[in-house]
Amino acid sequence: MLLAGNAAAAGVKHALVISIDGAHAIDVALYAKHHPTSNLAQLQRRAIVYANARQPLVGDSTPGLLSIMTGGSPAATGLVYSPFYDRELSPAGSDCSARGASYYVDEKWVKDMKREDSGGGIDPAKLPRDGAKGCTPVYPHQLMRVNTVFEVVRQAGKRTAWVDQHEMYNDLLRGPSGNGLDESVALERKGVPQTLEGFIGQDGRRVDVLLRQIRGQDGGGKQVGVPAVFGMGFISFGAVQKSAGYKDGDATPTEPLVKALDFVDASVGRIVAELKARKLYDSTMIVLTAKHGQSPIDIQQRRVIDRNVIRKAVNGVAPGLLAHASLDSIGLVYLKDSSRTAEVVAALRAKAGEAGIQKIYAGEQLQLLLPTRDSRMPDIVIQPQLGAFYTDDVEGDAARALLAEHGGTLDEDTHVPLIVSFPGAQGTVNRAQVQTSQVAPTVLAALGLNPNALKAVQLEGTPVLPGVKTGR
């Protein structure tokens, strides 16, 4: 590939965003190298490849998706992880007399998570309530503190759509207005056999939806026009990462990972072929990235740690002190009494070896990253050592089979692929350090819309990706 230069994104009328959930930048780079005639390799020849792209702060699906679609970090969006804890909300089904509730942005709160159609969407009876708003259930889009690309595009009179694995994700993308998506399709991950074949089959159905949208049709086959901004998330690669992993620390994929990327590659080929058949390829920007990576790549570094080590350390300072803890390849700790934070930090440091702790963020160190006086933000953030992650029942079959997790702040969680393909791009590599939050303003600028229409862009000064000349 050529070194990075500027390329004019002229004539862009559509932006198609694809997330390969769990993918690292090295995964796509190795695949393209070893498969030079692949669709992914060809896509890169009409693209800028951002080799040093990272997700802002933590490698989790919720903040990862929102960074791409809002232009902001968790400090702006107000959503740092799933699950998180909100000190101002009240538990589901309550009368709102008590405050403090955990909030899950995943499959748990749909009507039936074991059905691919979710049983009919989000179940309001499972949602926490807002005492300041009549003790009403709080839907994901009502959590949003900034608007999304989809809202800006709809306000400009253009069509939007998104396809993913959880209705809770899609509802976030509707934005604070609740009106950001013309079409939302969510196929719940746990509604299929939890095998590579099951996940690939479901991803294939997501691609089928995307192809229909490229043909300008809605779910009923009516011609409604091609969305100006649309896209989907692939789940099969990330799912098999957890069960099959890599051969070594150089990210040499095992056969199941190769099969998953072969499928993604073939799907990209189907998508590009449909765009070309509809004479849309030369007016479409394609963004290929990932909500997050996963760690460890080198499974010899894998270390599974019982979540109770953290829970007991916190409650050892004072019984019942722990309000909530999100514990995967990151630890977000919420206390019922924040004045005890320093004591808890000391207790955790005393358990650093047993708990696999690399770094603890609290007080002013955490304030540099997050607005800690926010009702949703943790008192303490724990970054485990590379390869360590927390789980329940460490001797159980599920924990023994789990080779990787996501959520952390380290490179393997946050260093994701970012390929931006558009007419005029000539296969360049840009090694500047960029963030996935720069996708949103870049998409808007390419469509001739103002990136500053995004509140997160205003708050954080998020720039358009380098090397893309949009004419704005």
Side-chain angles (χ1 to χ4, degrees), residues 124-385:
K126 297 177 181 177
L127 298 175
R129 295 172 174 262
D130 188 347
K133 296 182 179 178
C135 202
T136 52
V138 180
Y139 284 81
H141 73 269
Q142 294 173 303
L143 299 169
M144 294 288 291
R145 293 178 177 164
V146 297
N147 57 345
T148 71
V149 162
F150 300 105
E151 288 178 292
V152 174
V153 169
R154 281 208 77 200
Q155 288 166 0
K158 302 176 187 292
R159 187 170 176 82
T160 63
W162 186 252
V163 188
D164 217 315
Q165 64 168 312
H166 299 314
E167 179 54 36
M168 299 285 281
Y169 289 172
N170 287 29
D171 197 62
L172 285 174
L173 299 183
R174 293 184 173 95
S177 70
N179 298 317
L181 292 176
D182 284 293
E183 183 175 12
S184 166
V185 178
L187 303 179
E188 291 293 341
R189 168 178 164 163
K190 291 193 176 178
V192 296
Q194 302 295 284
T195 62
L196 175 58
E197 293 73 22
F199 297 133
I200 282 178
Q202 191 182 72
D203 271 343
R205 290 187 285 281
R206 292 188 180 94
V207 174
D208 290 342
V209 173
L210 203 64
L211 299 181
R212 167 177 58 73
Q213 292 169 348
I214 292 171
R215 294 192 287 270
Q217 299 172 349
D218 66 10
K222 179 182 177 182
Q223 286 292 326
V224 292
V226 182
V229 178
F230 62 131
M232 64 166 283
F234 283 95
I235 69 166
S236 48
F237 182 77
V240 78
Q241 272 179 315
K242 294 187 175 187
S243 60
Y246 298 83
K247 292 182 179 179
D248 52 42
D250 294 324
T252 305
T254 55
E255 188 60 29
L257 278 181
V258 173
K259 287 182 179 179
L261 272 183
D262 283 344
F263 166 76
V264 171
D265 183 73
S267 297
V268 169
R270 292 178 66 199
I271 291 165
V272 169
E274 191 69 38
L275 287 169
K276 289 180 176 178
R278 303 292 163 176
K279 298 185 176 5
L280 296 171
Y281 186 64
D282 290 333
S283 60
T284 300
M285 172 178 279
I286 302 173
V287 179
L288 188 145
T289 185
K291 299 184 183 88
H292 58 80
Q294 300 206 97
S295 63
I297 289 175
D298 183 354
I299 62 173
Q300 293 187 63
Q301 294 178 297
R302 171 187 177 272
R303 180 184 172 193
V304 181
I305 300 169
D306 193 330
R307 288 173 175 150
N308 285 320
V309 173
I310 302 297
R311 294 165 180 155
K312 289 177 180 178
V314 176
N315 288 327
V317 173
L321 179 58
L322 181 63
H324 172 84
S326 296
L327 298 166
D328 290 303
S329 58
I330 194 75
L332 277 65
V333 176
Y334 297 78
L335 304 177
K336 291 181 181 177
D337 181 356
S338 296
S339 70
R340 310 295 295 270
T341 297
E343 295 171 78
V344 174
V345 169
L348 290 169
R349 285 183 174 145
K351 291 281 188 180
E354 182 182 357
I357 295 173
Q358 174 174 305
K359 174 77 174 177
I360 296 176
Y361 297 88
E364 289 304 310
Q365 282 197 328
L366 185 55
Q367 178 69 18
L368 293 172
L369 303 176
L370 294 169
T372 54
R373 295 173 183 85
D374 188 300
S375 67
R376 296 182 195 162
M377 296 301 166
D379 295 287
I380 299 166
V381 172
I382 302 166
Q383 175 56 60
Q385 298 160 352

Side-chain angles (χ1 to χ4, degrees), residues 84-104 109 124-139 143 375-376:
F84 65 92
Y85 186 80
D86 194 324
R87 298 173 182 87
E88 296 300 320
L89 297 183
S90 297
S94 73
D95 62 2
C96 293
S97 57
R99 296 295 175 92
S102 300
Y103 202 108
Y104 289 81
W109 289 347
K126 297 177 181 177
L127 298 175
R129 295 172 174 262
D130 188 347
K133 296 182 179 178
C135 202
T136 52
V138 180
Y139 284 81
L143 299 169
S375 67
R376 296 182 195 162

Side-chain angles (χ1 to χ4, degrees), residues 449-471:
L449 301 174
N450 185 359
N452 284 315
L454 288 167
K455 185 177 179 180
V457 168
Q458 297 176 38
L459 289 171
E460 300 189 329
T462 314
V464 169
L465 285 163
V468 183
K469 293 174 64 177
T470 62

